Amino acid sequence: MSDATPDVTAPGGQWATMRLIHPAPSLAQVRWWVRRALADETTSSSEAVVQVVNSLVSNAYRHTSAPRATTLIRHRTSPYVRIEVEDGERTAALVPTAPVRFHLGLRLVAGLSTAWGVRARHNGKVVWADVTRTGPVRIPVQRG
């Protein structure tokens, strides 16, 4: 099994992890993996998860030297899918405060998720986001 092979048979169907280490999967492979892992979710919620994962993994590739893994966590009774992207950098992700043309990925994450944040770990950090599993998802439109 290669590092890019999706673990869609996780115990209880509650989580799936894709390793982002050498050779790092392309963003297209990551998006394919998310769609496959969430095949039983509603289309609107799974596409929102795809966009959030794409933004967080893209940021990890662009701004860290050690992206490690992305994990999707689903509990049967939770209204959310938790997305976690782990890397080996200790510097926190920046909260978007710059003009609209900057930090577009984190603005997208903030717009599509119910909550998001950064959790420090002894060997890096985890950037996480919760995306609703039910109902339509609003796509944020940035103007300016």
Side-chain angles (χ1 to χ4, degrees):
M1 177 186 333
S2 76
D3 292 335
T5 301
D7 176 10
V8 293
T9 59
Q14 294 183 349
W15 59 270
T17 298
M18 178 183 227
R19 293 170 31 166
L20 301 175
I21 58 176
H22 185 72
S26 69
L27 290 174
Q29 289 172 310
V30 172
R31 290 188 302 270
W32 174 86
W33 170 79
V34 173
R35 287 185 180 106
R36 183 170 171 212
L38 299 178
D40 61 336
E41 294 287 333
T42 65
T43 302
S44 61
S45 66
S46 64
E47 283 306 308
V49 172
V50 167
Q51 293 303 314
V52 171
V53 169
N54 188 75
S55 293
L56 293 179
V57 171
S58 177
N59 281 352
Y61 283 172
R62 181 174 293 129
H63 300 294
T64 73
S65 61
R68 293 194 178 130
T70 185
T71 301
L72 303 176
I73 303 168
R74 299 186 297 163
H75 295 284
R76 288 177 183 87
T77 59
S78 174
Y80 306 105
V81 174
R82 165 69 54 103
I83 300 157
E84 296 184 348
V85 175
E86 178 186 352
D87 66 58
E89 299 286 326
R90 292 183 183 218
T91 56
L94 299 175
V95 175
T97 57
V100 172
R101 68 179 183 271
F102 298 108
H103 305 293
L104 295 177
L106 290 180
R107 288 179 193 277
L108 181 75
V109 169
L112 290 177
S113 63
T114 305
W116 75 277
V118 180
R119 185 174 66 246
R121 295 181 55 141
H122 69 281
N123 60 352
K125 70 178 176 299
V126 172
V127 181
W128 60 269
D130 291 336
V131 175
T132 187
R133 295 172 72 176
T134 58
V137 176
R138 64 179 174 79
I139 306 294
V141 176
Q142 297 286 334
R143 299 178 196 262

